[in-house]
Amino acid sequence: MAERPIDLPADVVRQAVHYAGGYLEFQQRYRRVPGVQAAVLHRDELVLSAAWGHADLESGTTLTTGHLFRIASHSKTFTATAILQLVAANRLRLDDPAGMHLTALADAGSPLARVTVRELLSHAAGITRDSPDGDFWQLMRPFPDRDGLLAMLLDSGAAVLPANERFKYSNIGYGLLGLIIEAVTGRSYAEHLRDAVIAPLGLTDLGPELDPGRGSDYATGYSSHAYAEHRVAIDHVDTAALASATGFYATASDLVRYFAAHFTGDHRLLSDEGKRLMRQALWETGGSKDRRYGLGLSISPVGDRRMVGHGGGYPGHITASLVDPDARLAVSVLTNAIDGPADPLARAVVRLIDLAVDGPGTGDEGLRRFTGRFAGLWGVTDVALLGGRLYLLDPTQPDPTEDRTPLEPAGDDTLRIAGGPGYGSYGESVRYRFAGDGCITSIRADSGATLVPLREWTLPERFTVPVSSPH
């Protein structure tokens, strides 16, 4: 796969993120997601920190950038970071067998005593995903405590496959890593992670497990529209001994700040050597052959940009983060519904940034007068300025860049459609009407149809052809 250049001009990123924020706002409403919180960090600049929708539907509480989300399997990146720190300190080795540190496995003669820390980190240990009874994910019973997790690990069915046969995702395996951290450090998982990973970054809206003292700060999670029109609130629960797999909470802005510590050259948590170990593409995960997994990090392309990061699925919260460590770019999108589209939204932000990078880069702000979101009978169309070039984009699409239509200036009130799919209006004009104050009153776009700014669009009682006046 061709790799994109790592240099992302700061002004181009800011321009792209300006539009991306409006796209995310539209998607939150269009997809009927209760709330979306997002952040983008480039180099040392937080270029986006925003929230749309509601933290709680029943009370009508508006979602803010300070509301906390359960980021679930993002926890695995924190666990892996803590493990690599212990490796760097010579307190354990990646090839240590689990039984060396958790003697209960060795004493019981469990085959899991022989799996290595490396195999656990890369989901290559062949361990059951969530045990034969994973209904704690449906809140039918509590998440397992330490004794419950040990019972799962010692169960004869815990070793499902031989180690290193294939990638096999396992929350139970990451629970075992949490127990190993406790055995090596002599402290609880939460205490060690707070001191070793969170404190060095000075982050206050990020933690390893549900904090009951901040109950009102959490965004309420909701059920899916897949099985009902009405969403039902889902309680936040402690994930107990599986915190190392799924317990963390964060805001989007603190999450991208955490991932900034994984940028190349940032040594606050790990050396570059340690970060490269985490980013090794060790196993194909299935589906797309380009999607792989390293040591606590997923690796996948967005277009031709190689990204690392993780997603998270917690009852009521779906979250996703994408990071280019060399370009020093981090994107996090958090949603408070169990069917929230966090991953496609995060990918859309990266694609918009790369579309802007591909532009002429003139940064011609004089073109901004043509931009906006416009509506008509057939839907909504955006005119966006990205990388010094204007485009017609469809904000209803999971990838708004896929059928982009470039536009070229053709006069004070006219743009020319200079590309796009063949079913469009290639070669034709987009004509603008401006008010005296420079605001757009209407445009004629694809097919010569009149569109008005979305904020001014109102539905008639019925769409009907007006009766022609007699001549």
Side-chain angles (χ1 to χ4, degrees):
M1 180 180 70
E3 299 262 340
R4 276 193 170 268
I6 64 173
D7 182 34
L8 295 175
D11 59 335
V12 174
V13 172
R14 284 193 293 269
Q15 189 182 75
V17 170
H18 175 81
Y19 171 74
Y23 167 79
L24 293 173
E25 180 180 24
F26 180 87
Q27 282 280 311
Q28 179 269 321
R29 179 183 61 80
Y30 178 72
R31 296 205 189 196
R32 298 188 297 161
V33 183
V36 173
Q37 190 188 86
V40 178
L41 188 141
H42 178 228
R43 300 176 186 168
D44 298 322
E45 182 184 0
L46 188 65
V47 291
L48 176 70
S49 178
W52 306 273
H54 291 91
D56 187 87
L57 295 173
E58 288 71 29
S59 66
T61 303
T62 299
L63 184 69
T64 71
T65 57
H67 276 105
L68 305 176
F69 284 72
R70 306 301 293 278
I71 56 172
S73 286
H74 280 85
S75 306
K76 296 177 175 69
T77 76
F78 294 90
T79 297
T81 298
I83 290 285
L84 268 293
Q85 289 175 331
L86 294 172
V87 169
N90 294 317
R91 300 181 70 180
L92 61 73
R93 298 176 304 136
L94 287 176
D95 293 321
D96 282 351
M100 177 185 295
H101 302 287
L102 197 65
T103 55
L105 295 178
D107 293 343
S110 169
L112 299 189
R114 297 189 295 275
V115 302
T116 67
V117 172
R118 188 192 308 271
E119 290 162 352
L120 290 167
L121 286 170
S122 61
H123 295 289
I127 297 177
T128 180
R129 191 187 195 280
D130 290 295
S131 86
D133 180 3
D135 276 339
F136 48 86
W137 281 111
Q138 302 196 82
L139 275 59
M140 293 180 177
R141 64 186 184 89
F143 275 73
D145 60 13
R146 189 179 192 279
D147 289 342
L149 176 59
L150 278 173
M152 292 175 179
L153 291 166
L154 293 172
D155 186 272
S156 60
V160 179
L161 297 175
N164 294 305
E165 180 173 299
R166 54 165 289 165
F167 177 84
K168 188 186 186 314
Y169 195 79
S170 175
N171 287 310
I172 303 304
Y174 262 77
L176 174 50
L177 285 168
L179 297 181
I180 290 173
I181 288 173
E182 292 184 342
V184 171
T185 65
R187 309 177 72 200
S188 75
Y189 172 82
E191 289 172 337
H192 181 73
L193 268 288
R194 286 191 193 101
D195 288 346
V197 179
I198 301 170
L201 305 181
L203 301 177
T204 58
D205 287 329
L206 187 152
E209 185 50 273
L210 179 68
D211 183 349
R214 300 191 65 179
S216 62
D217 294 338
Y218 289 88
T220 302
Y222 288 93
S223 61
S224 173
H225 272 147
Y227 38 73
E229 282 297 308
H230 175 67
R231 293 189 188 274
V232 175
I234 302 173
D235 284 344
H236 288 279
V237 297
D238 193 299
T239 60
L242 289 184
S244 52
T246 193
F248 265 77
Y249 67 82
T251 60
S253 57
D254 265 15
L255 192 50
V256 292
R257 289 186 180 104
Y258 157 72
F259 277 115
H262 286 269
F263 290 169
T264 301
D266 190 313
H267 299 146
R268 287 176 294 171
L269 297 181
L270 292 171
S271 67
D272 282 348
E273 179 184 6
K275 293 194 289 287
R276 284 193 296 270
L277 277 172
M278 289 184 67
R279 301 196 298 255
Q280 284 182 326
L282 298 175
W283 292 97
E284 291 185 6
T285 60
S288 169
K289 67 179 181 180
D290 291 327
R291 293 199 178 199
R292 293 178 174 268
Y293 203 89
L295 300 181
L297 286 174
S298 59
I299 300 107
S300 65
V302 180
D304 53 4
R305 183 174 296 281
R306 183 182 187 268
M307 309 292 287
V308 302
H310 221 288
Y314 175 88
H317 286 182
I318 301 295
T319 57
S321 296
L322 294 166
V323 184
D324 185 331
D326 295 324
R328 302 178 68 80
L329 175 71
V331 177
S332 291
V333 176
L334 316 181
T335 67
N336 61 334
I338 209 162
D339 55 359
D343 183 69
L345 293 182
R347 290 175 178 274
V349 173
V350 175
R351 289 182 182 276
L352 287 165
I353 291 171
D354 278 337
L355 179 58
V357 170
D358 290 340
T362 61
D364 185 1
E365 292 299 315
L367 297 176
R368 192 170 291 281
R369 64 191 290 263
F370 292 103
T371 63
R373 177 162 291 145
F374 306 96
L377 172 61
W378 289 89
V380 177
T381 296
D382 285 352
V383 179
L385 179 62
L386 297 167
R389 177 174 291 161
L390 290 166
Y391 295 92
L392 284 175
L393 301 177
D394 183 350
T396 69
Q397 295 302 307
D399 177 6
T401 71
E402 185 175 3
D403 291 327
R404 61 189 179 271
T405 298
L407 303 169
E408 296 175 347
D412 290 341
D413 60 359
T414 306
L415 303 172
R416 178 178 178 273
I417 297 174
Y423 283 100
S425 300
Y426 176 76
E428 300 180 27
S429 297
V430 178
R431 290 167 288 162
Y432 282 71
R433 293 185 67 182
F434 293 95
D437 61 0
C439 292
I440 300 167
T441 59
S442 67
I443 68 173
R444 284 190 180 271
D446 249 352
S447 301
T450 298
L451 307 177
V452 300
L454 178 60
R455 64 182 179 277
E456 298 172 12
W457 171 253
T458 56
L459 285 172
E461 291 185 6
R462 184 183 183 92
F463 285 99
T464 186
V465 178
V467 177
S468 298
S469 301
H471 294 286

